[in-house]
Structures are given as structure tokens and as C-alpha cells.
Amino acid sequence: MLISPKSAHAAFTDLTRNCALPLMPDVLLRTKLFRHHGHIVIGDVALRGYKHKARWTYDERDVRRAGRALAEAPIDFTDLVEVQLPEYRDHLGREEWGRPDWRRQLRSWMYDAAFHKKYRERRYDEDWRKIGENGLPGGLTMTEFIEARSDMPHVHNIAGTKPRGLLSWSGQHWLLPRAYVQLLDRWEHLEADLVSQARICSGCGTQGPPLGDWRTPTANGYVTLCPPCSGVAYQGYQGHLRGALYESLRRTMRADDYLCRLCGQSRAFTWDHCHDHGYVRGPLCASCNTFEGKGVRFLRREGSVLHLLECRACLEQQTLPRRFRIDVIRNHLEETERHGCCWNHPDVWELEHTNDVYRFMLACHSTRWTKEVAAAEAADLVRAFVQRALTEALPRSTK
């Protein structure tokens, strides 16, 4: 029988109420995770997601199998084994980043907690990457590490379990219960197999990129299609809805009949539209639609500003939606403002906005200060930004 995520959560919680391991049942509610490979792996059991009429469900038998497996897991907390955590690295390649690795994840959590402690305490004269006598970087205590990012508990789990509280430090090595290490290893292998299968194009069998770039949402779940197969299956968007209002078409025309207007490779997921003026900008895939929320990073992507200007009102007024106007002004302040002779780019965030002025807080290593930008000046900055984007695009459009 197929059951809803809420019912699955309740059943799993009931089955595992006496489980020795600290669990995170809420992972069953995070249906966005199905994008990776169509399953949520808890312990060493993969729970497949089934989608019908935009609603996700689980097979109750899978939920009960996962619950029983964890409830009956023979965990001896006195039988500990050494866990070799890899060295911390700032940057990982796409292939490595897309590969499940619970040891690397634990190490990453340690340095993430250390970085945020350093930032919170404004410590700039210490090497926050240095490992202390307790095995943790940046002067972290074990309690601080366990409680770090408590506002994001749904992210800090592995295999639906919470490993941080189970770690112990021998003075030289990290230790975990042997049976739990074996469970995480089984999870890692199963997760890697599912990720590998989800990379294969269902049309031609070609293996895709490691982070699921070819995964596309449909009414019945996610499918994997390479750009050539997507190009055959779906039509390119030719701008024929430019000037149309979103409310007039969202129930009558399907965005997933088209390729994404930005990347031109994946099946579109939704009609992107200007929230300030209501005009349609074009069909976007789930990945590009999510990336649109990245502020300055999105604006720096080739073609992104022109996409925003598909809104007729934005183009006529030589402006951008308000949330992007804030990003343009922030970026300008980061590039031009300095505290005295300090050479560092300041951190900038908006405090408030009235009809006449934008107020920002700026911070460098030594101090904080505020900066006011008049509405007229802000409008000029955004207009200049838009005109640069249009000018740079002109040679391409006239070829």
C-alpha cells in the first residue's frame, strides 16, 4: 500500500521508538531529496518515492522494513573502532562532490562548525583550521560541534541517523561503534549505486554528470535525459509568450513541454515570471529556477540579466526586480567601499529600505559601519547595470 510522507514518518517513528541509534525520521518528509536518484536511503534500506498527481508516496512495506532493520540493529556501544577521517579540503571536483562519503561529510561538518564559530566571535588572528588536542579544529568543544547548526537538523544526518553524538576521541583517533560504521559503509555503497544508476540517460544510455544535472521533474517523478534526448523530446522556447501575464497562462499551458530557456538542455519545470510585474520570462528547469535565487551569482551567469529583462516592464523601465536591485547595490558597495586603508572587501547586507533611501550595514575585519544609498542613486546603478548587459549582448544578437 502506498502511504503519504506524513504517514510514513509516523509509522517509522513508531517502529523505531526503542532504537539505540539517534535517528532523524524527518528525512522522510524531505521529498526534494528524490531528485538525486528517486529514493531516500535510511540505514541500508532504500525507500523508493512514487509520484502521482504531484503527490509523493512511499510503499508502506519499504518503510516498515527500514524501521525494523534499524530497531533491531545490534549496536554495541563498547565495541569501538578507529575512524580515519580525510584531510579537509576547501574545494572538491564535481565527481568527488557527487560521490557519497560519510567520513568526508563528518570532517566537513567539523570545519563548517569551526568556521562559523570564528565568524561569530570575530577572530581573525587565529588559524581556525588548526586541529586541537580534542581532535576538533578552530578551538571547538565537543558540545559546540554536536550542537552546531541546530537550526538545520534535517541537513546534518547520514543515512537518517545523527552520528555526531556517537563520536568519541581517543586522544589520537576518532572512534565509532563497529556495527554503526558497518551500517554507514553499507549506506555509502547503496547510495553510490543509486546515484550511478540515476546518471544514465533513459533515452540513449549515456552516463551523465555527477550532480544530477540531467535529472528532470515530471508529473510522475524524476527522469534522466541527456541534452540531445531532451532536444528531441521537447521543443525550444522561442519567446512567443513575451509580454504575456503569468496568471493568464499558468493553468492553460504546460512549461514541461519546453526546454529550459536558460540552459537549453533540460526539460523545463515551471514558468518563470517577474514577481514585481507579473510578466512571463520563460520556462526554466528546476536547477536553473533554483539558481535564480543565488543573487549576485545568478546575475554573473551569462544570459541571466537578459532573461530577467524578458519581463516587458523591466525592459521598458531599464530596471530589475527589487530583490535583484538589492544585489546590484550590494555588489557595488562591496567593490567600492573600504574602511580607511583596509584593503579587504567588506561584507554587506541590507538593513532597511524606505521610499527615499536604502540603508546597508558593512563590516570588515576591524569594524562595522552603515551606508545610505539614495533611491535615485540606486536606480542609476541598476540602470547602468542593465544597459551594460544589453550593450554586451548586442553583438551576439546582431550576428
Side-chain angles (χ1 to χ4, degrees):
M1 181 174 70
L2 297 179
I3 59 177
S4 69
K6 286 186 177 180
S7 297
H9 179 276
F12 181 83
T13 301
D14 182 60
L15 286 166
T16 58
R17 61 184 179 275
N18 296 321
C19 179
L21 292 172
L23 302 178
M24 179 58 69
D26 287 3
V27 71
L28 290 168
L29 304 176
R30 301 196 66 225
T31 55
K32 289 184 178 180
L33 296 176
F34 287 128
R35 179 181 184 275
H36 299 309
H37 46 59
H39 301 75
I40 289 177
V41 182
I42 298 186
D44 55 1
V45 178
L47 284 69
R48 180 181 172 185
Y50 299 87
K51 190 179 183 183
H52 179 62
K53 294 184 177 179
R55 296 182 181 273
W56 285 101
T57 58
Y58 295 96
D59 189 322
E60 185 179 10
R61 292 170 297 182
D62 291 341
V63 175
R64 294 192 173 279
R65 185 158 57 93
R68 286 194 296 267
L70 282 172
E72 298 168 1
I75 306 296
D76 181 354
F77 292 100
T78 64
D79 182 16
L80 303 177
V81 294
E82 177 185 326
V83 178
Q84 293 284 352
L85 300 184
E87 293 294 326
Y88 174 74
R89 292 166 56 192
D90 284 320
H91 302 289
L92 298 173
R94 287 176 61 84
E95 190 76 32
E96 191 173 5
W97 183 257
R99 185 170 58 247
D101 186 336
W102 65 265
R103 293 171 177 82
R104 185 191 69 214
Q105 186 65 69
L106 283 175
R107 179 64 83 189
S108 175
W109 288 349
M110 292 177 181
Y111 279 90
D112 178 75
F115 174 80
H116 281 87
K117 177 180 181 178
K118 178 208 77 164
Y119 186 81
R120 192 169 57 250
E121 297 178 354
R122 294 284 173 184
R123 293 183 293 115
Y124 299 102
D125 56 344
E126 298 180 27
D127 184 1
W128 61 274
R129 293 180 175 85
K130 184 178 180 181
I131 299 292
E133 294 182 357
N134 63 352
L136 293 169
L140 277 177
T141 66
M142 194 63 191
T143 299
E144 288 173 329
F145 171 57
I146 293 173
E147 295 178 352
R149 294 300 189 99
S150 57
D151 58 327
M152 302 174 64
H154 57 283
V155 175
H156 285 181
N157 78 89
I158 300 176
T161 68
K162 297 184 285 187
R164 288 188 290 184
L166 299 178
L167 277 169
S168 58
W169 178 249
S170 70
Q172 292 183 316
H173 306 288
W174 287 106
L175 305 173
L176 277 174
R178 183 187 305 275
Y180 183 52
V181 169
Q182 294 170 348
L183 174 71
L184 293 180
D185 283 341
R186 293 195 298 273
W187 166 85
E188 189 175 287
H189 293 147
L190 176 56
E191 186 82 16
D193 287 342
L194 292 170
V195 168
S196 179
Q197 293 170 24
R199 292 172 61 180
I200 299 174
C201 173
S202 59
C204 63
T206 302
Q207 187 178 55
L211 296 181
D213 294 354
W214 292 357
R215 298 281 286 171
T216 302
T218 72
N220 298 315
Y222 287 89
V223 298
T224 305
L225 283 176
C226 66
C229 289
S230 291
V232 171
Y234 311 111
Q235 57 186 310
Y237 176 70
Q238 304 301 323
H240 55 283
L241 294 176
R242 188 178 295 116
L245 290 171
Y246 174 68
E247 288 298 327
S248 69
L249 65 85
R250 68 188 183 96
R251 292 186 178 90
T252 58
M253 294 190 67
R254 294 174 59 93
D256 55 10
D257 288 336
Y258 297 91
L259 286 173
C260 173
R261 183 189 178 278
L262 269 179
C263 68
Q265 297 183 339
S266 299
R267 183 185 188 181
F269 168 68
T270 188
W271 288 110
D272 182 48
H273 63 286
C274 177
H275 290 260
D276 286 13
H277 304 109
Y279 289 110
V280 170
R281 292 192 289 239
L284 292 188
C285 67
S287 177
C288 288
N289 190 54
T290 299
F291 190 68
E292 190 182 310
K294 302 298 183 182
V296 173
R297 287 177 57 197
F298 176 76
L299 293 177
R300 290 171 178 165
R301 176 178 173 177
E302 184 177 357
S304 63
V305 179
L306 296 182
H307 171 72
L308 297 177
L309 295 175
E310 285 291 301
C311 168
R312 186 174 68 186
C314 286
L315 180 60
E316 291 175 351
Q317 298 171 25
Q318 299 278 283
T319 188
L320 296 174
R322 182 184 181 278
R323 64 191 181 97
F324 290 104
R325 293 200 295 269
I326 298 299
D327 290 322
V328 170
I329 302 166
R330 284 181 57 242
N331 187 64
H332 172 76
L333 294 177
E334 289 173 358
E335 294 297 327
T336 60
E337 291 292 317
R338 297 292 182 273
H339 177 254
C341 297
C342 180
W343 56 270
N344 290 297
H345 292 260
D347 295 323
V348 182
W349 60 94
E350 184 190 19
L351 291 178
E352 62 179 347
H353 169 223
T354 65
N355 290 333
D356 298 322
V357 68
Y358 294 84
R359 291 186 68 245
F360 293 88
M361 175 69 76
L362 292 82
C364 69
H365 288 180
S366 57
T367 189
R368 295 186 179 194
W369 69 101
T370 60
K371 174 74 175 180
E372 293 187 352
V373 179
E377 180 186 356
D380 289 341
L381 289 172
V382 174
R383 189 178 300 108
F385 181 86
V386 168
Q387 290 174 349
R388 278 198 304 273
L390 292 172
T391 301
E392 291 171 1
L394 187 59
R396 291 193 295 271
S397 63
T398 56
K399 284 181 179 179

